Amino acid sequence: MAAAAAGTRVFLEVRRRLQSALLILGEPKEGGMPVDISITPSSLEVKTPAGCTELRLPAEVRLVPSSCGGLQYVAGDGLHLRLQVRVDSSAKLISVFNQSSQGQECCTFYCQSCGEVIIRDRKLLRVLPLPSENWGALVGEWCCHPDPFANKPLHPQENDCFIGDSFFLVNLRSDLWQPRPELAPVETHRLSSENRFKLKPKANTKVICKRCKVMLGETMSSETTKFYMTEIIIQPSERNFSIIPRSQFVQSVVAQCLVELSTARSTFRFTIQGHDGKAYILLWLLNSDSLVIESLGSSNSITKFPLLEDILKADSSSAWNAIKVLYQPCIKSRNEKLSRAWESDISIHTLTLPSATCLELLLILSRNNATLPPSLRSMNSFQPTNIY
């Protein structure tokens, strides 16, 4: 197969469940030169007079060269080609940033942003999932007598860790001797003319890291603290802490939350909401079985995001497991009508994160969208993107 290109960009997206792949060979930047594409079961090779680019596939994925078809040229994009793949279905994809805590282990809680120790050497005897946020409304359907759980909030004991959709609940009573995260200043008001003060019902209960001042969670009671999964890393105490690039960590945690919720509750549309109650992003999960293999070639066409680390390097190839989503931003009064419609739809699930993390996630989604081939950057009124 031959085509014309200069500074060629190669993009390969594999769908494991469909056993198919989309190959996009970037459009030439200027002029033209012959290009030879060689496809083998384990690799893809693109040869030009200027050099050779080879993409190697993971061991569980194999291309079927004889299935190549659907060749077409898309203006501004390049050549599109579809082919079949064979995928080892027994290979399980496990995130290297899996946050699930194992019982009976001594764990240390770290601030993900700076590595500050939040809870040291906590032995977790019980690690339990919390029921869905609407469980109280369903109790009437389960019980033939008055609600036995009324006014009984689920608070963890000293060696418990309760896991919600996007947060951990832990008890800090046994950690009074340790350095603790700070509470943000709260508003107070006078009860009388005496110098006595009381917290307002809407007092600021944010928990922030002492070192980097990032919001980690919120206090739920005098002993119970909610830590957001995007802000905390939990590791066995004997393991040394290592910094994970922030955007990779946020993507991994959000992707894991979306996949687990869609599997458990058959929910595929989500509202990403800040701790302030405002909607920031509307997300629609399309699939969770993508593998993206890419060689960027020249970096001139890639939009730069200075606030995010550059995980896709120019003139190199990368392979990433990914989930594909459609998204719409809701900041600055954008998509208000759609946001209200989603808010009233009971089939749509809300994920709550710190407001700063919501903005960070929106920037990551925009960056990932900008790195896609142009023809893949829009779908109706939504913007498609991959979360790696």
Side-chain angles (χ1 to χ4, degrees):
M1 181 185 306
T8 304
R9 176 188 182 184
V10 180
F11 177 90
L12 180 69
E13 182 174 13
V14 176
R15 292 291 310 279
R16 289 181 171 85
R17 294 194 185 99
L18 298 180
Q19 304 278 296
S20 67
L22 170 65
L23 170 64
I24 299 179
L25 185 63
E27 194 172 35
K29 303 302 178 184
E30 58 182 33
M33 60 178 68
V35 173
D36 291 328
I37 305 173
S38 300
I39 299 176
T40 69
S42 61
S43 66
L44 170 69
E45 188 177 71
V46 180
K47 292 182 178 179
T48 70
C52 175
T53 300
E54 183 177 22
L55 299 182
R56 291 194 173 276
L57 277 65
E60 73 273 12
V61 179
R62 287 294 177 263
L63 300 176
V64 182
S66 61
S67 67
C68 296
L71 179 64
Q72 62 174 330
Y73 173 79
V74 178
D77 220 17
L79 290 178
H80 285 221
L81 176 68
R82 292 194 175 273
L83 62 162
Q84 295 178 2
V85 297
R86 294 194 179 98
V87 183
D88 181 5
S89 58
S90 64
K92 294 183 178 180
L93 302 178
I94 301 177
S95 171
V96 295
F97 310 127
N98 195 329
Q99 286 276 63
S100 60
S101 308
Q102 300 298 321
Q104 308 297 326
E105 287 187 358
C106 278
C107 297
T108 297
F109 290 55
Y110 299 92
C111 169
Q112 193 278 325
S113 297
C114 69
E116 176 77 357
V117 173
I118 307 302
I119 303 176
R120 189 188 303 276
D121 297 335
R122 169 68 66 89
K123 188 170 186 179
L124 300 176
L125 300 180
R126 296 195 306 170
V127 180
L128 302 173
L130 287 168
S132 65
E133 58 183 9
N134 299 317
W135 71 275
L138 300 175
V139 171
E141 303 295 330
W142 301 337
C143 303
C144 58
H145 47 78
D147 182 0
F149 306 107
N151 301 318
K152 293 182 179 179
L154 297 174
H155 290 313
Q157 299 302 310
E158 288 187 29
N159 297 107
D160 294 343
C161 178
F162 293 168
I163 302 178
D165 294 339
S166 59
F167 60 86
F168 305 106
L169 287 185
V170 295
N171 188 306
L172 292 186
R173 178 171 54 187
S174 63
D175 294 280
L176 293 176
W177 61 274
Q178 297 187 29
R180 294 162 63 89
E182 296 180 357
L183 288 177
V186 298
E187 299 180 28
T188 59
H189 65 87
R190 291 181 182 274
L191 290 174
S192 64
S193 58
E194 302 176 8
N195 292 328
R196 293 182 298 170
F197 292 83
K198 182 179 180 180
L199 296 182
K200 284 185 176 181
K202 294 185 179 180
N204 190 346
T205 58
K206 292 192 298 184
V207 177
I208 62 177
C209 175
K210 284 185 175 181
R211 180 188 292 177
C212 66
K213 307 304 180 183
V214 165
M215 178 181 174
L216 303 175
E218 302 174 79
T219 56
M220 307 302 291
S221 71
S222 60
E223 297 178 352
T224 302
T225 299
K226 173 199 289 186
F227 289 117
Y228 289 105
M229 292 181 180
T230 53
E231 315 308 317
I232 293 290
I233 288 183
I234 304 176
Q235 291 185 343
S237 296
E238 66 271 13
R239 186 186 304 173
N240 293 328
F241 175 81
S242 58
I243 292 291
I244 298 170
R246 176 65 181 167
S247 69
Q248 290 185 31
F249 182 80
V250 171
Q251 288 183 87
S252 179
V253 171
V254 171
Q256 184 173 313
C257 290
L258 297 182
V259 171
E260 290 180 355
L261 286 169
S262 65
T263 301
R265 304 181 188 178
S266 297
T267 298
F268 301 95
R269 290 186 293 169
F270 303 87
T271 298
I272 306 300
Q273 173 183 279
H275 71 278
D276 54 8
K278 297 179 181 178
Y280 284 78
I281 310 170
L282 306 179
L283 278 180
W284 196 327
L285 177 62
L286 295 183
N287 71 67
S288 58
D289 64 338
S290 292
L291 173 68
V292 177
I293 306 173
E294 185 170 16
S295 177
L296 296 182
S298 172
S299 63
N300 295 334
S301 61
I302 305 300
T303 304
K304 298 296 183 181
F305 287 74
L307 296 180
L308 299 175
E309 64 273 4
D310 188 9
I311 62 172
L312 296 177
K313 302 296 184 181
D315 304 314
S316 66
S317 59
S318 305
W320 304 88
N321 293 319
I323 68 171
K324 184 173 287 293
V325 299
L326 302 177
Y327 78 97
Q328 284 279 26
C330 296
I331 59 174
K332 296 183 178 180
S333 301
R334 296 178 62 181
N335 301 300
E336 283 185 301
K337 184 177 180 180
L338 182 60
S339 180
R340 287 194 299 268
W342 280 39
E343 185 178 350
S344 60
D345 191 331
I346 61 174
S347 69
I348 294 173
H349 191 81
T350 299
L351 276 179
T352 302
L353 301 172
S355 298
T357 302
C358 293
L359 293 173
E360 191 175 7
L361 177 60
L362 181 57
L363 185 61
I364 291 170
L365 296 176
S366 300
R367 187 271 307 274
N368 291 355
N369 173 267
T371 61
L372 292 174
S375 65
L376 304 183
R377 295 178 190 172
S378 63
M379 183 180 294
N380 297 329
S381 60
F382 282 82
Q383 299 176 69
T385 192
N386 293 318
I387 300 179
Y388 298 101

